[in-house]
Amino acid sequence: MKKIVLALLVLITAQQAWAQHAHIESIFGNKSEEKKKITVGGYGTAIGKLTPVNGKLGVLTGLQGGVLLNHKLMLGAGGYGLTNSIKAPKLNVPDEQNQYIQMWYTGLMAEYIFNSDKLIHWSAGALLGGGGVGRDERHHGWHDDDDDHHGWYGSSGFFVAEPFVGVEVNITSYLRLNVGGSYRFIHGSNTPGLTDSDLSGGAFHVGIKAGKF
């Protein structure tokens, strides 16, 4: 009986000593075993936005996507364009025809996903980049300069910054629905009749994400 008790004590002592040693940090320890592996995935998003443009309801559509690290941080790019007809302000010039706003922008973006494995979770991020805006007699179509239509009028470039947040629902392991909002800060445009504030504004978006999460 004494031998059995002694053997159990030796086993318990050895197990405790091993457990303590397994958690000891040392200068020359094998730190590679303690590091977590970085997982790499990626996804793309088809997205639509409702947003004010020059006081009218604008529809922006576009794509965004990139590389996803550790199921949390996406680094990539996005691009969007105005798809519906919004009349540009009149300039009160002779023989003035109706003109329509054309706008697009693109940039680098980052997005952080919180609790990505949960059925419903949320994300936040921002896009930084640039774009262009102009006036176009869209109803005439596109022609050469010798015709009565000359393409964009008074086109200009601008800087854009757009922070955003969203709520996501995991439809499948590779498909997600994202609904949220953003605010588009535009600076530097000088298209006649349009100011930075006419092009800036909040937006409601709906997107479908597809990829390896």
Side-chain angles (χ1 to χ4, degrees), residues 92-110:
N92 298 320
V93 297
D95 300 323
E96 183 174 13
Q97 302 292 325
N98 286 331
Q99 294 180 343
Y100 299 84
I101 299 173
Q102 299 279 9
M103 184 178 74
W104 63 271
Y105 62 96
T106 185
L108 299 177
M109 62 175 291

Side-chain angles (χ1 to χ4, degrees), residues 64-85:
Q64 60 187 40
V67 176
L68 182 64
L69 304 176
N70 288 341
H71 312 285
K72 297 178 180 180
L73 179 63
M74 189 276 277
L75 301 175
Y80 319 92
L82 182 66
T83 59
N84 63 321
S85 298

Side-chain angles (χ1 to χ4, degrees), residues 27-40:
I27 297 175
F28 300 103
N30 188 1
K31 295 183 180 181
S32 62
E33 295 179 357
E34 300 171 4
K35 292 181 180 179
K36 295 182 179 179
K37 293 182 179 179
I38 296 177
T39 61
V40 179

